[in-house]
Amino acid sequence: MDLANQSIVSEFVLLGLSNSWELQIFFFTVFSLLYVATMVGNSLIVITVIGDSHLHTPMYFLLTNLSIIDMSLASFAIPKMIMDYLISNKTISFDGCITQIFFLHLFTGTEIILLMAMSFDRYIAICKPLHYASIISTHVCVAFVVASWIVGIMHSMSQVIFALTLPFCGPNKVDSFFCDLPVVFQLACVDTYVLGLFMISTSGIIALSCFILLFNSYVIVLVTIKHHSSRGSSKALSTCTAHFIVVFMFFGPCIFIYMWPQSSFLVDKILSVFYTIFTPILNPVIYTLRNQDVQTAIKKLKNRFLKRSEVTVLVRNSIMVINSLKKGTKNEKNKLKKN
């Protein structure tokens, strides 16, 4: 912590994805649309699962929590990045930078554990269907979610404590659109080789190990499905394949960035876009909205909403008619009194 007292940098400059004004306008438009779609899609999942009792199952409980994490992951940096495209002074305070690092590792760490819980859920459902009800319960799913947040908090705190011990005494230009350790620690006034080893051991190896476990579980699930030729097995194969694509797109960039912290900034920026912008929108598209049960629940929810709207309009019109009749009757009474 003595090194932290040597820091004289009070703010960082975020260089973003490009210096071109035309590209910045393009990114502003695209990322704004993607952010709105992410929030709307994931919110729709949460509302649908809560509103339909048929979806009150362990799998959809985990998917709902994944939607909440994805909305949080999309919100820790994207709104600021979108606003930065409209201003010339793209800076962030030192505390704001540390805060971004905390929330990034909190949400990514939580999502990693939750993805592992979801793969375990699918493994039991497909490979041990007769034991599913006895192994996977509401209490177990709640324990998974609580454990994912605890692990996320512990991991993010270790990264923040590590960042706070770094002395920043000069360079303050972060070659990215948000603060993360691989780009921030290279601005520290110390030898970055040891810091790189710390990052590989605390983030890179953990992400790689979790990905290997997930990969093995999905391989076992896919092999099990392959031995069945029923329609349900075909549906399960499609679902698990889509799930694995999301897992690969989330873990791939994380593993590369944290296993090779000295890699090209351009490559890091491109990969960062995948797990902070594209992955959160893939959850509603691949995990849930293409699911027949969810589509049916959304239609029911829409019909229920439309019926309530029709009833509301009918009640409002009835009240207006009654008020008009009352007003007309009152006017007639006043005329009779005058006569």
Side-chain angles (χ1 to χ4, degrees):
M1 294 302 293
D2 293 336
L3 291 174
N5 296 330
Q6 300 174 16
S7 298
I8 60 174
V9 174
S10 60
E11 65 178 15
F12 293 96
V13 178
L14 299 174
L15 299 182
L17 297 176
S18 174
N19 293 323
S20 170
W21 174 249
E22 291 78 9
L23 280 177
Q24 290 189 39
I25 295 300
F26 172 76
F27 289 144
F28 171 80
T29 304
V30 172
F31 293 149
S32 296
L33 293 174
L34 288 175
Y35 179 70
V36 171
T38 298
M39 301 305 289
V40 171
N42 284 289
S43 297
L44 181 61
I45 290 173
V46 174
I47 294 171
T48 302
V49 173
I50 293 176
D52 194 319
S53 58
H54 295 93
L55 299 181
H56 293 175
T57 62
M59 183 182 74
Y60 291 110
F61 174 77
L62 295 175
L63 283 172
T64 301
N65 282 274
L66 182 64
S67 291
I68 294 173
I69 294 173
D70 278 336
M71 286 190 288
S72 303
L73 181 61
S75 300
F76 90 96
I78 295 179
K80 175 171 174 51
M81 178 188 66
I82 293 172
M83 294 303 298
D84 282 346
Y85 285 128
L86 302 178
I87 59 178
S88 57
N89 188 25
K90 301 175 177 60
T91 60
I92 183 171
S93 66
F94 182 85
D95 292 338
C97 188
I98 297 298
T99 302
Q100 281 194 343
I101 293 174
F102 172 81
F103 283 116
L104 170 64
H105 287 271
L106 170 63
F107 299 135
T108 52
T110 303
E111 182 155 340
I112 285 174
I113 304 301
L114 195 58
L115 288 173
M116 294 183 67
M118 291 171 62
S119 71
F120 178 73
D121 172 77
R122 291 301 85 202
Y123 168 78
I124 298 298
I126 295 172
C127 299
K128 301 180 183 295
L130 298 178
H131 302 282
Y132 182 81
S134 60
I135 297 175
I136 305 296
S137 63
T138 303
H139 296 294
V140 171
C141 290
V142 171
F144 280 147
V145 172
V146 172
S148 67
W149 282 102
I150 292 175
V151 172
I153 291 172
M154 292 175 62
H155 174 67
S156 59
M157 288 300 297
S158 69
Q159 303 302 298
V160 167
I161 292 173
F162 170 66
L164 290 174
T165 61
L166 300 177
F168 298 97
C169 54
N172 67 336
K173 293 184 178 179
V174 178
D175 196 4
S176 183
F177 58 93
F178 66 91
C179 288
D180 193 12
L181 279 180
V183 288
V184 172
F185 90 92
Q186 297 190 37
L187 302 177
C189 305
V190 291
D191 182 15
T192 58
Y193 177 76
V194 177
L195 303 181
L197 293 178
F198 172 81
M199 193 172 308
I200 291 173
S201 62
T202 59
S203 297
I205 293 178
I206 292 175
L208 180 61
S209 302
C210 293
F211 175 75
I212 292 174
L213 289 173
L214 282 170
F215 179 79
N216 290 333
S217 68
Y218 276 112
V219 167
I220 294 172
V221 168
L222 293 175
V223 170
T224 304
I225 294 173
K226 189 177 180 180
H227 288 87
H228 299 80
S229 58
S230 63
R231 183 179 176 183
S233 298
S234 177
K235 180 181 177 181
L237 177 63
S238 175
T239 301
C240 288
T241 302
H243 288 192
F244 182 74
I245 291 173
V246 176
V247 168
F248 180 80
M249 291 188 67
F250 178 78
F251 276 91
C254 291
I255 292 171
F256 185 88
I257 290 173
Y258 292 102
M259 289 296 289
W260 290 275
Q262 302 284 355
S263 60
S264 168
F265 283 126
L266 177 60
V267 174
D268 287 352
K269 285 192 285 188
I270 294 173
L271 293 176
S272 297
V273 170
F274 274 93
Y275 73 87
T276 59
I277 298 177
F278 289 131
T279 301
I281 201 174
L282 286 176
N283 173 36
V285 174
I286 292 181
Y287 270 81
T288 313
L289 295 182
R290 64 193 295 272
N291 185 295
Q292 188 62 44
D293 295 334
V294 176
Q295 291 177 1
T296 303
I298 290 176
K299 289 179 181 178
K300 290 180 180 178
L301 189 67
K302 183 179 72 172
N303 293 334
R304 191 187 311 168
F305 177 77
L306 290 175
K307 286 180 180 179
R308 287 180 180 178
S309 299
E310 291 174 358
V311 171
T312 302
V313 172
L314 181 62
V315 170
R316 187 185 300 121
N317 291 337
S318 301
I319 292 173
M320 290 176 63
V321 170
I322 293 172
N323 289 335
S324 298
L325 292 174
K326 287 182 178 180
K327 187 175 181 181
T329 304
K330 187 176 181 180
N331 290 335
E332 289 180 0
K333 287 182 178 179
N334 291 334
K335 286 181 181 179
L336 291 173
K337 287 181 179 180
K338 290 180 180 180
N339 295 331

